[in-house]
Amino acid sequence: MPDDVLVLAEKLSKVYGDVVPTPALTDVSFSLGCNEFASIIGRSGSGKSTLLNLIGLLDTPTSGRLLLNDRDTAGLDRDGRAKLRNTFVGFVFQFHHLLPEFSVIENVCMPAIIRGERQSAELLDRARDTLDTLALTDVADKNANEISGGQKQRVAIARALMNRPQLVLADEPTGNLDTENTDLVYELFRKVNREWGTGFLIVTHDRAIAQQTDRIIELSDGRLVQDVADPGADLPAESRGA
Ligand SMILES: Nc1ncnc2c1ncn2[C@@H]1O[C@H](COP(=O)(O)OP(=O)(O)OP(=O)(O)O)[C@@H](O)[C@H]1O
Ligand SMILES: [Mg+2]
């Protein structure tokens, strides 16, 4: 069903540089349905971040087509891209970039306020609700520099979820976390995926983590070389975190 497709990439390519052209992504085609929980793996330099940045409209393809929610992104002007990016997608990066002088809840509300949303009771309710979902209820009013690394990354995730995006794009979201915090983040991603119906596309170096997702898309030298559904199906349930 076409209206169930969140992302449709058709022969997406990206070449960086005019003088020395570097192909970063070559003819990548795939579609991602609503509510999918998928990962992207591949070696360093294989094009993972490039693909995520194209899907998140942070960058434009050199060729190929990208449809988000059935909408051809090529027809969008700067404002149209920014609007779609703000409403459709939430980004989570390896480094959280919280504002240390502000409280956790202020950090979570900040992007909305910068975009011009009023600091209303509704906004604060939504922020508390998001923090509750990410098991951050107790630190909501703490300063962002008074919480642990794992909590900081969860605050960054809460911030990305404030707009209730249809799709979360996460680039090595647990790259700086220990195993315990990594597991917690993936549990919470799952919970958001199940309860809110949010789609996830998560870049990771770690095949064991990728195996906990429902689909693994593998890139090599900028090309999609494998696309496997239910990669952890033959593992025992406890090692999948099920
Ligand atoms: N802004 C840029 N300008 C020029 N080349 C770039 C740029 N960004 C990425 N590249 C090149 O494009 C290719 C893909 O890079 P990309 O960052 O997508 O890889 P990656 O899979 O995310 O790697 P990593 O796992 O190290 O983060 C690499 O050869 C890289 O050097
Ligand atoms: Mg990268």
Side-chain angles (χ1 to χ4, degrees), residues 16 22 24 42-51 172 205:
Y16 286 112
T22 315
R43 301 165 73 128
S44 181
S46 59
K48 305 181 298 295
S49 297
T50 301
L51 179 58
E172 298 280 359
H205 270 100

Side-chain angles (χ1 to χ4, degrees), residues 203-215:
V203 166
T204 175
H205 270 100
D206 190 336
R207 197 173 273 273
I209 291 178
Q211 248 149 4
Q212 296 180 34
T213 68
D214 299 333
R215 176 177 175 189

Side-chain angles (χ1 to χ4, degrees), residues 6-7 26 38 58 80 92 104 130 154 162 175 180 185 190 192 197 208 211 218 236:
L6 275 188
V7 177
T26 308
L58 292 175
V92 181
V104 163
T130 315
R154 270 153 41 220
M162 268 299 277
E180 201 180 317
V185 162
R190 269 283 182 204
V192 169
Q211 248 149 4
E218 184 173 356

Side-chain angles (χ1 to χ4, degrees), residues 183-238:
D183 289 348
L184 179 55
V185 162
Y186 277 86
E187 263 172 48
L188 293 166
F189 278 169
R190 269 283 182 204
K191 180 175 158 190
V192 169
N193 171 254
R194 285 209 189 99
E195 292 181 6
W196 297 358
T198 314
F200 280 79
L201 200 49
I202 309 165
V203 166
T204 175
H205 270 100
D206 190 336
R207 197 173 273 273
I209 291 178
Q211 248 149 4
Q212 296 180 34
T213 68
D214 299 333
R215 176 177 175 189
I216 300 181
I217 294 164
E218 184 173 356
L219 297 180
S220 176
D221 285 334
R223 291 178 187 273
L224 195 159
V225 291
Q226 222 178 23
D227 190 347
V228 184
D230 208 3
D234 50 0
L235 295 175
E238 59 272 20

Side-chain angles (χ1 to χ4, degrees), residues 93-99 148-149 152-153 155-156 159 176:
F93 299 102
Q94 181 171 357
F95 301 100
H96 40 73
H97 303 300
L98 300 183
L99 299 167
S148 74
K152 281 180 186 158
Q153 187 59 323
V155 173
R159 186 179 54 189
N176 273 326

Side-chain angles (χ1 to χ4, degrees), residues 106-117:
E106 283 168 337
N107 266 280
V108 168
C109 291
M110 198 71 74
I113 289 166
I114 290 170
R115 274 194 308 273
E117 228 181 285

